[in-house]
């Protein structure tokens, strides 16, 4: 390149530095292709384009003029860090220039530099919240991109102590997955905020219900572990109080198995709800459609709609109503308990199991009463005719099996309760005896 061309390009860059649109127009009249020749080697390095220069300094009209004549310059990157003009403008917070660049090519919102940072990342690290807002309006996906180091835009906000940008991003994105994403070391933004001793950031994060307070990183540490291991400082007590209020735990405590009663209840909740609903449905159907049906007319002293069983065999009908009502109320109680819950898991499970036993037992008795009525065998002992012998044997065996099963379950639970009670009593006696002999003076 001769000296004349070098001087023209130098004038172009001086115009970009000054934001002199008229000088740009004059240069374009002298050389219409000057914007195509501005990338020249200077001491072994590529110099930035005039669009980069104007975007960094904040010359809006100059930027618009270049974009109107050569919009593809918005896609070019500065060779050292591979920053596009949008990266530069985002970092400097020039909102109007950012809008102009995005309007030409919105895809540049996802352009990555040498470290994998897109313009939203750059703006967040510089605290340019208004720029982040503009970028996310056009390309929301920019907030979910990770850098080459595996960190998110939220990690960058914490690392660069930009709490305003962090608050804005969390309020706008409102995504638990993004909030709890981890870097390559398994650290969430809460880990990072605690490690860098930022009490205000920690307080804000632990108040968020979607934040995992006890997440464990690849080193097996929670945020509480990191705080305990770090040296005490000015912000030590503030972070400690914030973590304690949020019930943050050490990894050793967080990894302990949860209460077995609560775990069992959560795993069986859906199955119990289905069983209770089926029992309630069957009990309701027995009342609506009793064994033997209902009268269809008002002849011979009966009333249409009344149960035939109630008129033919009042005793059996009364027993059926008692068993069926007990089963219905018990099953509905189980449903109510599952919906509402109780604070004590052990007590809750005990009440739930007893209520469900009552519901199942009442349903079984309702079935037996219905069978006795429908088969005509209403007296006990039932006649063992050839036609009924197999049915009677099956029913008797089923009843015996059911009774034995209930007795075994009741005895097993009673025995477990007695053993626990005796064990607790023995421990109390041992502690009292030990304390007595420990305090007794030697003679």
């Amino acid at each position: 390149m001769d000296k004349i061309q070098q001087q023209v390009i130098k004038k172009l860059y001086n115009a970009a530095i000054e934001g002199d649109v008229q000088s740009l127009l004059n240069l374009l009249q002298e050389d219409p292709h000057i914007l195509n020749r501005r990338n020249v080697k200077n001491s072994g390095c590529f110099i930035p384009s005039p669009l980069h220069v104007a975007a960094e300094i904040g010359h809006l009209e100059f930027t618009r003029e270049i974009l109107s004549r050569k919009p593809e310059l918005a896609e070019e990157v500065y060779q050292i860090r591979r920053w596009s003009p949008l990266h530069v403008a985002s970092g400097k917070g020039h909102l109007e220039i950012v809008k102009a660049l995005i309007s030409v090519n919105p895809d540049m919102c996802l352009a990555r530099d040498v470290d994998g940072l897109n313009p939203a990342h750059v703006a967040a690290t510089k605290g340019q919240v208004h720029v982040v807002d503009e970028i996310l309006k056009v390309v929301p996906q920019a907030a979910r991109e990770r850098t080459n180091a595996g960190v998110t835009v939220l990690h960058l906000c914490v690392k660069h102590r930009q709490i305003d940008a962090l608050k804005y991003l969390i309020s706008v994105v409102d995504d638990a997955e993004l909030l709890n994403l981890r870097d390559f070391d398994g650290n969430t933004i809460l880990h990072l905020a605690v490690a860098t001793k930022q009490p205000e950031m920690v307080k804000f994060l632990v108040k968020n219900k979607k934040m995992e307070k006890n997440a464990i990183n690849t080193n097996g540490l929670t945020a509480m572990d990191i705080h305990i291991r770090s040296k005490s400082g000015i912000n030590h007590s503030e972070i400690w109080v914030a973590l304690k209020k949020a019930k943050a735990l050490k990894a050793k405590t967080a990894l302990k198995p949860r209460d077995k009663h609560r775990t069992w209840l959560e795993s069986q909740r859906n199955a119990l709800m289905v069983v209770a609903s089926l029992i309630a449905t069957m009990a309701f159907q027995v009342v609506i459609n009793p064994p033997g049906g209902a009268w269809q007319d008002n002849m011979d002293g009966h009333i249409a709609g009344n149960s035939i069983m109630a008129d033919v065999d009042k005793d059996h009908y009364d027993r059926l109503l008692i068993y069926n009502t007990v089963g219905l109320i018990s099953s509905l109680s189980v449903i109510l308990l599952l919906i509402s819950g109780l604070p004590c898991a052990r007590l809750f499970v005990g009440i739930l199991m007893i209520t469900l036993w009552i519901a199942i037992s009442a349903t079984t008795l309702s079935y037996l009463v219905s069978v006795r009525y429908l088969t005509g065998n209403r007296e006990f002992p039932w006649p063992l005719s050839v036609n009924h012998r197999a049915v009677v044997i099956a029913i008797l065996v089923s009843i015996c099996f059911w009774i034995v099963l209930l007795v075994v379950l009741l005895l097993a639970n009673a025995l477990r309760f007695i053993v626990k009670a005796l064990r607790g009593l023995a421990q109390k006696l041992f502690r009292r005896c030990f304390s007595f002999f420990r305090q007794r003076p030697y003679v």
Side-chain angles (χ1 to χ4, degrees):
M1 181 178 294
D2 55 28
K3 292 183 178 180
I4 297 178
Q5 288 180 335
Q6 289 181 358
Q7 291 177 355
V8 172
I9 292 175
K10 185 176 180 180
K11 290 180 180 180
L12 174 62
Y13 280 94
N14 289 333
I17 293 172
E18 298 294 333
D20 191 344
V21 177
Q22 188 59 48
S23 297
L24 174 63
L25 296 177
N26 294 336
L27 290 171
L28 287 171
Q29 287 181 351
E30 296 176 9
D31 185 359
H33 301 289
I34 189 174
L35 294 177
N36 295 328
R37 289 195 287 266
R38 84 282 174 283
N39 269 345
V40 295
K41 286 188 177 180
N42 184 15
S43 301
C45 298
F46 284 96
I47 60 176
S49 71
L51 186 58
H52 282 84
V53 176
E56 182 174 6
I57 299 175
H59 296 312
L60 177 61
E61 296 302 324
F62 194 91
T63 300
R64 287 175 174 171
E65 189 64 35
I66 291 182
L67 291 175
S68 65
R69 295 177 177 275
K70 194 173 180 59
E72 55 268 27
L73 284 181
E75 302 177 10
E76 294 198 11
V77 295
Y78 184 30
Q79 296 298 320
I80 296 177
R81 292 204 58 189
R82 298 196 60 78
W83 271 26
S84 68
L86 185 56
H87 281 87
V88 176
S90 298
K92 292 295 182 178
H94 301 314
L95 180 59
E96 295 302 321
I97 294 180
V98 168
K99 291 180 179 179
L101 292 168
I102 292 177
S103 65
V104 172
N105 190 344
D107 292 339
M108 293 306 295
C109 293
L110 297 176
R112 298 162 63 90
D113 67 3
V114 68
D115 297 318
L117 276 69
N118 63 38
H121 293 144
V122 175
T125 60
K126 303 295 183 179
Q128 309 293 354
V129 179
H130 56 297
V131 174
V132 177
D133 176 64
E134 183 63 29
I135 293 174
L136 296 189
K137 285 179 182 177
V138 181
V139 185
Q141 181 60 29
R144 302 178 183 277
E145 295 292 315
R146 288 175 179 259
T147 68
N148 294 345
V151 301
T152 66
V153 65
L154 301 183
H155 286 88
L156 292 172
C157 289
V158 176
K159 180 180 178 181
H160 293 271
R161 300 177 180 269
Q162 300 294 344
I163 188 169
D164 291 334
L166 179 71
K167 290 180 177 179
Y168 167 78
L169 285 164
I170 291 178
S171 65
V172 170
V173 179
D174 192 23
D175 185 353
E177 183 181 359
L178 176 63
L179 183 65
N180 294 290
L181 279 178
R182 310 179 184 208
D183 59 16
F184 289 158
D185 294 322
N187 291 315
T188 64
I189 55 176
L190 182 58
H191 284 100
L192 195 57
V194 172
T196 53
K197 298 185 181 298
Q198 301 183 60
E200 187 178 357
M201 197 88 75
V202 173
K203 291 176 185 178
F204 171 73
L205 291 175
V206 295
K207 287 180 181 178
N208 193 310
K209 295 181 179 179
K210 297 180 180 180
M211 187 76 231
E212 293 182 12
K213 282 79 174 180
N214 299 312
I216 300 175
N217 63 14
T218 52
N219 294 322
L221 302 176
T222 63
M224 179 62 83
D225 292 319
I226 292 177
H227 178 66
I228 292 173
R229 292 191 176 193
S230 63
K231 296 180 180 179
S232 60
I234 299 176
N235 301 322
H236 180 82
S237 59
E238 291 186 63
I239 296 176
W240 173 263
V241 171
L243 292 175
K244 290 296 289 184
K245 284 184 177 180
K247 298 181 180 180
L249 305 173
K250 295 187 291 185
K252 184 178 179 180
T253 306
L255 290 174
K256 284 185 178 179
R258 301 173 62 189
D259 180 42
K260 60 181 181 180
H261 295 90
R262 192 176 299 278
T263 303
W264 178 88
L265 181 61
E266 291 180 358
S267 62
Q268 300 297 327
R269 182 182 294 271
N270 292 335
L272 292 173
M273 184 68 76
V274 171
V275 172
S277 300
L278 288 175
I279 295 175
T281 302
M282 289 188 294
F284 183 80
Q285 286 297 323
V286 169
V287 175
I288 300 300
N289 187 21
W295 297 110
Q296 302 299 316
D297 52 47
N298 294 323
M299 299 175 62
D300 300 329
H302 54 254
I303 301 174
N306 284 0
S307 171
I308 297 175
M309 183 180 181
D311 292 337
V312 175
D313 196 334
K314 182 65 174 175
D315 292 338
H316 273 76
Y317 186 73
D318 289 343
R319 283 195 290 270
L320 178 64
L321 280 183
I322 293 172
Y323 300 146
N324 194 66
T325 302
V326 172
L328 177 64
I329 298 302
S330 301
S331 58
L332 292 178
S333 299
V334 171
I335 295 174
L336 183 62
L337 288 170
L338 289 173
I339 292 173
S340 58
L342 288 176
C344 181
R346 179 178 297 180
L347 176 61
F348 178 79
V349 171
I351 295 174
L352 190 67
M353 293 303 299
I354 293 173
T355 308
L356 197 56
W357 285 357
I358 294 173
I360 295 173
S361 300
T363 303
T364 305
L365 293 173
S366 298
Y367 169 78
L368 292 176
V369 172
S370 300
V371 169
R372 288 185 65 186
Y373 174 79
L374 293 174
T375 57
N377 297 320
R378 303 171 195 171
E379 301 297 331
F380 189 83
W382 293 337
L384 297 178
S385 63
V386 175
N387 295 331
H388 298 99
R389 185 174 299 169
V391 175
V392 171
I393 293 175
I395 292 175
L396 289 175
V397 170
S398 299
I399 292 173
C400 292
F401 175 78
W402 180 256
I403 293 174
V404 170
L405 180 61
L406 286 178
V407 170
V408 170
L409 289 174
L410 289 172
L411 289 176
N413 283 277
L415 182 62
R416 184 173 60 178
F417 175 79
I418 292 171
V419 169
K420 286 185 177 180
L422 291 176
R423 183 183 299 170
L425 181 61
Q427 290 176 351
K428 288 182 180 180
L429 290 175
F430 176 79
R431 283 195 294 266
R432 287 183 181 179
C433 292
F434 180 78
S435 177
F436 173 77
F437 285 108
R438 186 178 180 182
Q439 295 176 2
R440 184 178 180 183
Y442 291 99
V443 180

